[in-house]
């Protein structure tokens, strides 16, 4: 599998560490080998420099030029529907599920446990029925070795 998520102008990234954690941004300019100038017009992120170690690159790209202004970035962001594409991605869905799981109360976790137990009980019952139907069929003949095992 070839790596194709390179640091480039217009690459959309997810901020994984720091005070802006959880926001999407677009790389507007590469400052040096460690930092980039990013802007997140639709995620409430002001233009700032961020270390590459704090960014996780996504597969999304917006067509902007080198050092594009905030309005240009916003128009390109909305034209390509980055926010919608991000919310439909499995990455965003997993993050949302993790957040939702973290906000569960003790009683919610208890209800979830009981629901899983009920589901597993139904699965076990259906599996038992299937095994019972298979058991009713005649057994398959055993394979016999044609050559006797002489040692």
């Amino acid at each position: 599998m070839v790596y194709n998520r390179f640091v480039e102008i217009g690459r959309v990234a997810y901020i994984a560490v720091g005070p802006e954690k959880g926001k999407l941004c677009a790389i507007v300019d590469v400052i040096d080998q460690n930092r980039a100038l990013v802007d997140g017009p639709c995620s409430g992120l002001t233009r700032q420099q961020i270390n590459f170690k704090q960014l996780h690159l996504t597969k999304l790209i917006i067509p902007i030029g080198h050092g594009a202004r905030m309005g240009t970035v916003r128009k390109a962001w909305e034209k390509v529907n980055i926010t919608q594409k991000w919310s439909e991605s499995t990455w965003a869905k997993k993050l949302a599920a993790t957040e939702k799981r973290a906000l569960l109360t003790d009683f919610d976790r208890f209800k979830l446990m009981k629901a899983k137990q009920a589901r597993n009980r139904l699965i076990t019952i259906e599996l038992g029925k299937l095994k019972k139907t298979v058991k009713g069929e005649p057994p398959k003949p055993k394979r016999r070795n044609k050559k006797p095992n002489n040692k």
Side-chain angles (χ1 to χ4, degrees):
M1 204 160 123
V2 180
Y3 184 77
N4 54 11
R5 291 185 188 179
F6 300 110
V7 173
E8 58 184 314
I9 308 297
R11 174 70 67 180
V12 178
Y14 173 77
I15 301 175
V17 181
E20 306 292 343
K21 180 180 179 179
K23 294 184 179 179
L24 283 181
C25 64
I27 297 176
V28 178
D29 195 5
V30 177
I31 298 171
D32 59 19
Q33 65 182 7
N34 296 318
R35 297 174 296 153
L37 184 67
V38 297
D39 194 3
C42 296
S43 60
L45 180 72
T46 58
R47 184 172 287 219
Q48 57 187 294
Q49 64 179 6
I50 290 187
N51 196 322
F52 287 129
K53 292 178 182 177
Q54 296 178 340
L55 297 177
H56 289 177
L57 302 175
T58 66
K59 65 178 183 178
L60 305 172
I61 300 175
I62 57 174
I64 56 173
H66 176 77
R69 295 181 177 180
M70 187 174 175
T72 310
V73 175
R74 177 183 296 277
K75 286 177 186 173
W77 189 285
E78 291 170 351
K79 184 178 180 183
V80 185
N81 292 329
I82 294 296
T83 309
Q84 180 186 359
K85 286 181 182 177
W86 171 253
S87 61
E88 292 172 355
S89 70
T90 55
W91 188 354
K93 289 176 184 176
K94 284 180 185 177
L95 288 171
T98 306
E99 270 182 38
K100 189 175 181 181
R101 214 174 294 121
L103 295 175
L104 288 177
T105 63
D106 187 39
F107 185 58
D108 290 334
R109 283 191 291 275
F110 174 76
K111 289 192 294 187
L112 180 65
M113 178 189 74
K114 287 297 184 182
K116 285 182 178 179
Q117 285 176 350
R119 180 197 62 197
N120 289 340
R121 203 170 292 122
L122 290 173
I123 291 171
T124 306
I125 290 169
E126 291 299 317
L127 183 65
K129 289 178 183 176
L130 289 173
K131 283 183 177 180
K132 202 172 197 179
T133 59
V134 170
K135 192 176 181 183
E137 296 174 3
K140 294 180 182 177
K142 293 183 179 179
R143 281 186 65 186
R144 294 189 181 179
N145 205 355
K146 292 182 181 178
K147 297 178 184 175
N149 192 4
N150 296 331
K151 287 188 181 179

